[in-house]
Amino acid sequence: MFVLVEMVDTVRIPPWSFHRHLNDAIAEELNKKLANKVVFNVGLCVCLHDITQLEDSYIFPGDGASHTKVHFRYVVFRPFLDEILVGKIKGCSAEGVHVSLGLFDDIVIPPESLQQPAKFDEAEQVWVWEYETDEGAHDLYMDQGEEIRFRVVDEVFIDTSPSGPGAEKEGPSAAAAPPAEPEDKQAPYTLVGSVSEPGLGLLSWWNS
Amino acid sequence: MGITRDSNAAMLSNYEVYQLLTELKEKRKEMVKNKHSVGQQNLNTIMYETLKYLSKTPCAHQNPDTVKEFLTAMLPHKLTKAEKLQLLNHRPQTAVEIQLMVEESEERLTEEQIDELIQKVTHVLPGDPQKEGSAGPEMETDQ
């Protein structure tokens, strides 16, 4: 579920933080910049793992702050392809079942990847697995709040950096994974899941 | 803007991330003043949510020794790193779960081997003491 990512960046420490231990000040700046944010093609950054190398700090004319090039490793949430995960059903819509992991919300299981045959109950806005046995068909509802085991089949990264001037769109904040906001907001990182194998789906379906 | 030198330097088990976050939480408790500044909100949020999620998984009951023991126990089965990681993170208790996590398990593992895997996993990796105390794992026969 988590990977270690090696990164390099220049960290700016303002003069009022000079009294602090350099490592701590840098760790705080890096966490401020990256924690809970999605980096394009990398994943959702969680927290700093360690600093591997600190280069010399420089002070540039006109700016009293010090600039330090830092090599560090960051813990990033990025499930690998075909990984099995357990999450909670956030809700269902015509697009499929929306699952959340608490730390990460944008997981969707499209209708074709549900246990077949599946139908969408419009009245209750919930997807149902019409499970056939010899005795007849059971309707298994995928209710909100239920724990669900699914396989990650695809990941989608969308670059949400602000578009330049002259574009119609009001640029959303660069590299942020915000909660649901007005229509235009696209999730920078989405996972596509599947529950179409034996063992996948609501945990209650498979726990005898 | 940062440069990513290696976007997949290493895979981390849930236990390692859980350890890291718990230690970070302890350290931050001492620095009360900084925690609440605007910039630290994101870190607080992601730490809280991740710890909340991970504390409900088997990794919350693991320690470095059990993880080492688990990896040694897995050696004879010739599993890939990803498969061992999933077994470590999920602690499967049924054959169905093993088949999900191990690729082409029908060809690579016989039924006895799958059972052996389940036994090893449930034996070496600690489970949730509350759940196991009252209900008992599915394998055990009551009385």
Side-chain angles (χ1 to χ4, degrees), chain A residues 147-201:
Chain A
E147 297 211 316
I148 181 171
R149 187 183 293 130
F150 62 97
R151 189 189 287 279
V152 176
V153 289
D154 197 12
E155 59 181 17
V156 183
F157 280 103
I158 297 177
D159 192 359
T160 55
S161 354
S163 41
E168 224 74 63
K169 269 203 306 180
E170 37 108 69
S173 53
E181 281 184 60
E183 340 76 279
D184 240 345
K185 267 312 214 272
Q186 287 174 303
Y189 180 37
T190 324
L191 287 175
V192 181
S194 156
V195 289
S196 58
E197 292 166 58
L200 295 179

Side-chain angles (χ1 to χ4, degrees), chain A residues 1 9 27 33 37 40 44-45 59 71 92-93 109 123 161 163 175 180 202-203:
Chain A
M1 215 160 75
D9 200 6
K33 181 171 182 180
K37 301 223 171 101
F40 188 61
L44 172 68
C45 296
I59 298 185
H71 300 245
C92 298
S93 75
I109 305 176
S161 354
S163 41
L202 264 60
L203 296 187

Side-chain angles (χ1 to χ4, degrees), chain A residues 26-27 29 46 50 52 64 69 129 139 151 157 163 170 174 201:
Chain A
I26 288 186
E29 283 298 314
V46 176
D50 58 1
T52 46
K69 194 158 169 193
W129 179 25
D139 270 356
R151 189 189 287 279
F157 280 103
S163 41
E170 37 108 69

Side-chain angles (χ1 to χ4, degrees), chain B residues 92-108:
Chain B
Q93 297 178 299
T94 62
V96 161
E97 290 172 79
I98 302 263
Q99 280 164 354
L100 282 175
M101 295 174 196
V102 177
E103 259 179 83
E104 291 171 17
S105 51
E106 307 95 59
E107 291 154 25
R108 286 161 64 192

Side-chain angles (χ1 to χ4, degrees), chain B:
Chain B
M1 197 47 224
I3 307 157
T4 315
R5 263 205 343 232
D6 187 355
S7 68
N8 207 339
M11 287 161 75
L12 293 171
S13 66
N14 287 7
Y15 170 68
E16 287 170 284
V17 179
Y18 184 71
Q19 267 296 87
L20 190 72
L21 289 175
T22 356
E23 278 167 19
L24 189 60
K25 194 165 91 155
E26 288 304 315
K27 255 194 275 174
R28 282 162 65 71
K29 263 195 209 163
E30 293 150 29
M31 319 168 26
V32 187
K33 186 179 77 161
N34 269 331
K35 270 199 311 199
H36 299 290
S37 75
V38 176
Q40 298 296 312
Q41 259 320 102
N42 269 323
L43 181 62
N44 291 344
T45 310
I46 191 80
M47 273 178 62
Y48 170 72
E49 291 288 350
T50 311
L51 278 172
K52 193 164 89 164
Y53 178 78
L54 290 178
S55 58
K56 295 202 213 113
T57 65
C59 81
H61 312 287
Q62 291 167 0
N63 60 60
D65 298 314
T66 58
V67 175
K68 224 190 296 187
E69 217 189 308
F70 173 76
L71 289 174
T72 336
M74 289 293 116
L75 280 174
H77 293 277
K78 304 223 182 28
L79 299 169
T80 67
K81 197 171 12 168
E83 290 165 355
K84 282 187 276 194
L85 185 63
Q86 289 195 84
L87 294 180
L88 182 64
N89 285 343
H90 287 266
R91 191 175 180 262
Q93 297 178 299
T94 62
V96 161
E97 290 172 79
I98 302 263
Q99 280 164 354
L100 282 175
M101 295 174 196
V102 177
E103 259 179 83
E104 291 171 17
S105 51
E106 307 95 59
E107 291 154 25
R108 286 161 64 192
L109 302 170
T110 64
E111 266 201 48
E112 296 98 47
Q113 284 177 314
I114 294 188
D115 265 329
E116 202 195 322
L117 259 181
I118 297 175
Q119 290 301 324
K120 275 198 195 165
V121 167
T122 39
H123 184 70
V124 176
L125 296 178
D128 187 350
Q130 286 175 321
K131 276 199 223 152
E132 310 253 304
S134 52
E138 285 137 36
M139 260 56 66
E140 270 180 31
T141 47
D142 259 77
Q143 264 126 319

